[in-house]
Amino acid sequence: MRAGLNGSVSYQDFRAACRRYDRDELLRLLSELSRGWDGSTQDERGRTRPFLPWDIAGIAATTLQWGTPGGRVATPDDVHGLCSKHLNLEHPGEHDDDFATKSVLRLLYQQIPYQRSAKLASWARPVALFEQTPLLDNYKPEAMESGWEDDLLGCSVGVWSSVGFALHSAAVHQASRYPFGWEPGIAAALTALGGEAVFDAVVRRGFSTELSAFQQARRDITAKYPGSLVQQFVREPFAYNPIHTSPLIGGIDELFLSPCVPAIEVRSTVYGIAYEGIERWGEAFTHDVGHLFEQYVGRNLRLIDGAEVVPEVEYGPRKSRLKSVDWFIVLPHVVLLVECKAMMPRRDMQEGIGSLAEMHDRLEKPLKQINRSAAAVKAQPEGMQVIPSDRPLVGLVVTLGNFDLANAPDVRALFTTASIPTAFIGVDLLEEIVTAPATELDKLFTDAPNQLTGPGVLAVGGWKLTLSENAVLEEAWSSIPLIKFIDEYRETADASGTGPA
């Protein structure tokens, strides 16, 4: 997170600064400057990059909402100045007791989707989770019945990832306007997705919107805030940005433009699909994703070579059985208790509405489950004998989204204290650590009592592990229709001696 300048900038001043420039030329320049994002906030010299995607997205949203044709033509230096202003926007609620923490939360959750960028995983995870992970046979889905993907997205998840990958790749390589002028040689690749018409239908339904619709969506979101029109206006720059739902904007010129290229990747991720499903089916979709996510975590845990993976255990008296955490990982000198929660940061975290406790109220339940299961492992009631009680225990709460501050001692102090060293980790980190040798994981987590930063708070980060490729993600990546076509084309080209495409 970039350090702020002294003083804050009012949204009125920031809006006025954006309006000084020709709207369409500024949006085109934003698109150009955002192409080089690689997930790193620093350049090769260790300096903060001048054009970070969350600032670009914020400038784009304000320009789309309030900008007009005419005015000066912006330069990269002008955009750098706008990025600094956006970073230092005044936050509403400056008299609240928890204002400082909430301000950090807003900045943090604005940045998370971009900072978590990991190229292969971003495109592969939706396929690995939604297409290649089956629900348990005895679970009846509430929303994710056969054909739900076509109903929600207008295509399969694999085609969705393919379209997002194609759009993002084209934008990175200077083609940030859509529709493209397809070259004849691309026709075969589009056939793998169902043809040009299918590609276009997915883009227009799931990745684009018109300027007027963007503006109306922004107004609708802001109007939901409590308080006067002035108070709502101050909150506007922290509202959910529709550019994450529709990264291609029409009505700027004759084509759709991507003002913030990294937003295409954000839209293509599990986040994009999950939020879309929640918007459509509400709690029913949330329940289904929760069950699916539990099985997806299990698939990853089984990649740990040399560890025993035990699913949820029912224990206690037969007339009042209890259920344990979702998974146990039995290692030679330590047992990991893994609880899965398909939680993602709510939009109000970005917007800074509500108290810190309300923002993290979903963190309480998994901590209590960790404590109950840890006590059961130690007490060994009926049914729990499958888990050894002769070694230390460590808890991991694996979440679909990332809750970085959940491992901060002052945040954890708001909730039940974990009776064993416990950390919240995103699924992206889990996908990495399961590729490490079991011996290294055993050593790392056996040392957990020495890694505590507070009562029951296990520090995350700085874990030195020997990592390799994740087979679950690799399988998903190679099955994405567009990637599969490219790989097969290259194999054919190599075999014929024509070289890679």
Side-chain angles (χ1 to χ4, degrees), residues 147-194:
W148 71 267
E149 308 99 318
D150 285 324
D151 191 13
L152 182 67
L153 307 173
C155 62
S156 69
V157 174
V159 169
W160 175 269
S161 288
S162 295
V163 170
F165 180 79
L167 288 172
H168 185 263
S169 298
V172 168
H173 293 91
Q174 309 298 315
S176 57
R177 300 184 196 178
Y178 181 85
F180 308 132
W182 295 107
E183 297 179 2
I186 301 297
L190 293 180
T191 300
L193 305 180

Side-chain angles (χ1 to χ4, degrees), residues 205-218:
R205 173 174 173 170
F207 288 84
S208 65
T209 192
E210 294 293 333
L211 175 61
S212 58
F214 179 99
Q215 293 171 338
Q216 186 60 52
R218 188 74 159 179

Side-chain angles (χ1 to χ4, degrees), residues 193-237:
L193 305 180
E196 183 176 340
V198 171
F199 186 98
D200 186 66
V202 174
V203 171
R204 292 181 184 275
R205 173 174 173 170
F207 288 84
S208 65
T209 192
E210 294 293 333
L211 175 61
S212 58
F214 179 99
Q215 293 171 338
Q216 186 60 52
R218 188 74 159 179
R219 286 193 294 267
D220 291 343
I221 292 168
T222 306
K224 294 179 180 179
Y225 292 142
S228 65
L229 291 177
V230 173
Q231 290 171 320
Q232 291 174 351
F233 177 77
V234 173
R235 285 197 181 275
E236 181 180 279

Side-chain angles (χ1 to χ4, degrees), residues 230-311:
V230 173
Q231 290 171 320
Q232 291 174 351
F233 177 77
V234 173
R235 285 197 181 275
E236 181 180 279
F238 305 104
Y240 179 75
N241 191 340
I243 208 168
H244 296 145
T245 305
S246 303
L248 298 178
I249 311 296
I252 299 167
D253 51 26
E254 69 279 7
L255 301 175
F256 287 91
L257 175 71
S258 174
C260 181
V261 170
I264 300 174
E265 183 175 356
V266 173
R267 176 59 172 163
S268 307
T269 63
V270 166
Y271 274 17
I273 297 175
Y275 282 132
E276 192 80 5
I278 293 170
E279 186 75 18
R280 176 71 175 276
W281 291 299
E283 287 297 316
F285 191 77
T286 301
H287 295 161
D288 290 348
V289 173
H291 285 272
L292 195 66
F293 183 62
E294 180 181 331
Q295 299 311 308
Y296 178 70
V297 170
R299 289 183 63 201
N300 278 272
L301 294 176
R302 293 188 183 98
L303 296 178
I304 305 175
D305 188 18
E308 180 185 359
V309 180
V310 181

Side-chain angles (χ1 to χ4, degrees), residues 107 125 177 265 358 379 381:
L107 291 172
R125 190 178 298 122
R177 300 184 196 178
E265 183 175 356
E358 289 170 342

Side-chain angles (χ1 to χ4, degrees), residues 443-455:
K443 182 179 179 180
L444 170 68
F445 290 114
T446 299
D447 185 55
N450 296 320
Q451 304 174 41
L452 296 178
T453 58

Side-chain angles (χ1 to χ4, degrees), residues 2 5 14 21 26 29-30 33 48-52 55-56 59 74-88:
R2 195 166 49 179
L5 305 176
F14 174 69
Y21 306 103
L26 176 55
L29 180 57
L30 293 175
L33 295 174
T48 299
R49 294 182 184 276
F51 309 113
L52 298 176
D55 291 327
I56 295 289
I59 297 168
T75 67
D77 285 343
D78 293 328
V79 173
H80 188 195
L82 292 177
C83 287
S84 296
K85 289 180 182 295
H86 181 263
L87 171 68
N88 291 281

